[in-house]
Amino acid sequence: MKTLILALFIVSVALSSVYAADFTLIVNQANPESSISKSDAKSIFLGKKSTWSDGTAVQPVQQKKSAIHKGFTKAITGKSSKQFANFWKKATFTGTGVSPKSLPNDAEVMAFIAANAGAIGYVSAGTAIVSVKALEIK
Amino acid sequence: MKMKNCLLWALLLCLVPLQAAALDWSQIRLNGFASQGYLSSSDNNFLADTTDGTFQYNELGLTVNTKVSDKLRVGAQLLSRDLGEVGNNEVRLDWGYGDYRFTDYFGVRAGKVKLPLGLYNEGRDSDFLRAMTFLPQSIYNENQRDMLVAYQGVGIYGNLAFDDAGDLDYHLFYGTSNMPDDALMFKTLRKSFSRISSQTVTAVQEKDSSLYGGSLVYNTPLDGLRFGISFLDSELDFTADYGAGLNGPGQLKIDNHFVLSLEYIQEYFGLMAEYMEMKSTQTFLGISAAEKNPQAWYVMLHWYANDQLTFSALYDVLYADKNDKDGNSFVAMGMPDFLGWRKDLSFGARYDVSDNWTLKAEYHQVEGNEIFATVINDASKLAEDWDYFALKATFNF
């Protein structure tokens, strides 16, 4: 029995480490927000919240298939990266929306967000935040 | 094209405002899919000539989505499909509409819009969105696909957010159905109208229709858990040819059509269950058949074994009339009692070769049948216990 409990503990730790929220949410420096609730962040990345409090249109960007993308979709939307992709495929093929723009790495995400007032995205935790600002998740 | 349809399309075009001149072409997304399946059944044909096995089971779709402005989007999907005698790969508009989102909690859609019934009707033509090849047939009956796949009209929709208490998606609509001439529904109605009137009905055409309904989906704070309720009232008027050059009015009226839905999806498993009821009345030449109260439900389980492999099990039940579960009314008409129910136990596997390629296989063991089976089978030779299997390969981009 002890062995079974130990095995379950190891598996759960291994699984949780895969989805650890090792990312920083970032927005354009002109964005008046300094924090965001998890439910608002989820609504943004599922296309249900389309404007910031000042009326600027929200422009979410995602990272291409990667560990950070996997961790982000699980932590914020509660979906695996595959379920997240399927959610947007359904929207695409029924006309209700299209998936967030997809960029290959932290540097391109930061550059895009720096250039677009309403943009929001995520970069790996520990990445030097340059020309954009970090958003605290409440 | 009927006058109502012309007005609707005019409305759709009006939604593309003058600001289209400022269209940003980088905002146009082009997607598509292509699938090829194989169907085979024992004893009874299922939707097509399947007892001999058939490859007449495919879909090809091309979708364009355009963001005209922050609030306005326009999109359309062309679909070519073949399922036995239906479709024959004629290219048709599957959906096409303008969507103006005033706020996150209020938007308007106008045009040909996917009809929200149950959690999965809107995505029924894109099989790569689900684990099994077919949606549960008790609620998402292929025989009724062309009547239920989309409405041509106007809908309002939105999302009401309740912070940590989840959020609610709503969609209410009014419109028409506009079924294509080869819709399976016409074959069923030809048979029904013949029976009602004791005349030989040779052809049925849609004359007019009205659909209205709505859908509410509550996305709970528990990730992956959502509940839905959707409802639909529809009235379809037809002209049917009978006898020697005569024709007369027919009607199909469906009231109180509702679906209750539950979906719970976690990392390694998924549970879906839905329950449906409706009241259906058919009238031809002023003679009404007895009201039927179809009842259906299913429970489906998915096991996401890994990122590529999903296993499914489904138990799917349909009663032609919840007040006659033994099928006595069919016996009274000289037909087998098992047209009164259909119980389908099935198992399937889906393998995602890549993000774009999907392979599926599934087996269905069925007891009983539905009235449509008498249209594509010799009614006197229908078997109560039968099975079918489906294979399908799909590419999407």
Side-chain angles (χ1 to χ4, degrees), chain A residues 15 19 39 42 47-50 57 65 78 82-83 86 89-90 92-99, chain B residues 29 31 63 65 70 73 77 95 97 101 104 119 122 167 169 219 223 265-268 307 352 355 396:
Chain A
L15 288 174
Y19 295 116
S39 59
K42 178 179 179 178
K48 295 177 179 184
K49 180 175 168 60
S50 59
K65 246 184 166 181
K82 188 175 173 181
Q83 288 163 357
N86 250 11
K89 273 184 186 177
K90 183 190 170 191
T92 298
F93 288 104
T94 56
T96 59
V98 291
S99 62
Chain B
R29 295 258 188 113
N31 297 86
T63 310
N65 281 286
D70 286 339
R73 290 185 306 99
Q77 179 167 284
W95 55 264
Y97 60 92
R101 189 174 181 172
D104 293 329
L119 292 179
E122 291 162 289
D167 63 90
D169 294 312
N219 304 292
D223 285 334
I265 295 178
Q266 283 299 296
E267 192 175 351
Y268 295 109
D307 272 354
D352 291 327
D355 287 344
N396 77 87

Side-chain angles (χ1 to χ4, degrees), chain B residues 147 179 185 189 193 234-238 250-254 280-283:
Chain B
M147 185 177 89
M179 290 188 277
M185 177 64 81
L189 288 172
F193 288 169
S234 43
E235 192 172 307
L236 294 95
D237 293 313
F238 305 95
Q251 189 184 67
L252 171 63
K253 198 167 185 308
I254 298 176
S280 167
T281 312
Q282 295 179 5
T283 304

Side-chain angles (χ1 to χ4, degrees), chain B residues 152-340:
Chain B
Q152 293 190 151
V154 180
I156 60 171
Y157 74 97
N159 176 261
L160 307 175
F162 309 121
D163 296 321
D164 293 337
D167 63 90
L168 183 74
D169 294 312
Y170 74 88
H171 184 171
L172 305 170
F173 61 89
Y174 177 79
T176 61
S177 74
N178 198 25
M179 290 188 277
D181 292 340
D182 60 357
L184 291 175
M185 177 64 81
F186 290 127
K187 293 178 195 280
T188 311
L189 288 172
R190 213 164 61 204
K191 200 105 175 170
S192 305
F193 288 169
S194 296
R195 201 165 40 246
I196 292 170
S197 63
S198 302
Q199 302 278 348
T200 303
V201 174
T202 52
V204 177
Q205 301 95 35
E206 188 178 358
K207 192 176 155 197
D208 205 355
S209 62
S210 70
L211 308 172
Y212 66 89
S215 154
L216 295 172
V217 177
Y218 174 52
N219 304 292
T220 72
L222 181 61
D223 285 334
L225 178 64
R226 58 180 181 150
F227 298 101
I229 179 168
S230 45
F231 59 97
L232 172 69
D233 268 25
S234 43
E235 192 172 307
L236 294 95
D237 293 313
F238 305 95
T239 299
D241 301 336
Y242 68 100
L246 299 171
N247 64 65
Q251 189 184 67
L252 171 63
K253 198 167 185 308
I254 298 176
D255 295 316
N256 303 336
H257 187 175
F258 70 88
V259 181
L260 303 175
S261 311
L262 177 153
E263 179 188 85
Y264 185 45
I265 295 178
Q266 283 299 296
E267 192 175 351
Y268 295 109
F269 74 91
L271 165 69
M272 295 90 186
E274 295 194 294
Y275 175 87
M276 183 274 295
E277 276 192 24
M278 67 169 88
K279 286 182 184 176
S280 167
T281 312
Q282 295 179 5
T283 304
F284 182 55
L285 297 177
I287 309 165
S288 292
E291 179 184 281
K292 294 268 186 192
N293 294 269
Q295 180 188 50
W297 59 269
Y298 74 84
V299 177
M300 183 158 49
L301 292 168
H302 295 330
W303 173 35
Y304 310 112
N306 56 45
D307 272 354
Q308 291 178 292
L309 195 56
T310 302
F311 296 101
S312 303
L314 166 71
Y315 188 59
D316 186 31
V317 177
L318 168 71
Y319 290 108
D321 189 340
K322 70 173 182 178
N323 301 314
D324 178 26
K325 289 185 176 175
D326 295 326
N328 292 326
S329 62
F330 291 100
V331 175
M333 290 188 287
M335 290 189 275
D337 61 350
F338 59 77
L339 289 176

Side-chain angles (χ1 to χ4, degrees), chain A residues 106-121:
Chain A
D106 291 346
E108 290 209 26
V109 168
M110 272 199 285
F112 180 85
I113 290 173
N116 293 277
I120 177 171

